[in-house]
């Protein structure tokens, strides 16, 4: 199953700070957080998922909290077994990848 890395926003953090922290913890990388991708996805009354573009600024991604990592092309995204909430962003993610 495929999942985008990220996590919860801690008290005192904004989305960008939380995402950079989580990517450092999960993948061992430093990033610059950019624009949002797609719409927010409400999971329940208190949890909302948001996706952002990021640029790698230091480090090489290593799976600290995940079993594996895999680079894929925009064309390969639709063929992966995504968790349901992440599927909402696939078209927007593919468009962002193609615009780079």
């Amino acid at each position: 199953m495929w999942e985008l890395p990220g996590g919860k926003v801690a008290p005192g953090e904004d989305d960008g700070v939380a995402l950079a922290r989580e990517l450092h913890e999960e993948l061992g990388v430093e990033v610059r957080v950019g624009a949002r991708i797609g719409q927010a996805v409400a999971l329940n009354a208190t949890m909302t998922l948001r996706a952002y573009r990021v640029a790698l600024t230091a480090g090489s991604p290593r799976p600290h909290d995940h079993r594996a990592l895999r680079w894929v092309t925009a064309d390969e995204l639709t063929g992966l077994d995504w968790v349901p909430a992440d599927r909402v962003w696939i078209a927007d993610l593919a468009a962002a990848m193609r615009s780079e």
Side-chain angles (χ1 to χ4, degrees):
M1 182 173 300
W2 293 84
E3 183 179 14
L4 300 172
K8 294 182 180 174
V9 178
E13 290 182 323
D14 64 24
D15 288 356
V17 170
L19 179 55
R21 175 185 51 76
E22 288 282 342
L23 292 176
H24 185 263
E25 291 172 3
E26 292 184 21
L27 303 177
V29 295
E30 301 292 328
V31 299
R32 182 180 64 250
V33 178
R36 286 242 328 250
I37 296 175
Q39 63 185 340
V41 179
L43 296 179
N44 58 40
T46 61
M47 292 176 37
T48 302
L49 293 177
R50 294 177 186 93
Y52 291 84
R53 291 181 74 140
V54 298
L56 182 67
T57 58
S60 295
R62 304 254 187 258
H64 297 177
D65 286 349
H66 300 281
R67 287 185 299 181
L69 301 176
R70 178 178 166 197
W71 293 107
V72 296
T73 67
D75 292 333
E76 293 172 307
L77 291 174
T78 58
L80 301 175
D81 185 21
W82 292 94
V83 296
D86 288 345
R87 286 187 194 130
V88 173
W89 297 312
I90 300 306
D92 294 310
L93 178 57
M97 290 170 71
R98 288 184 179 109
S99 71
E100 292 183 351

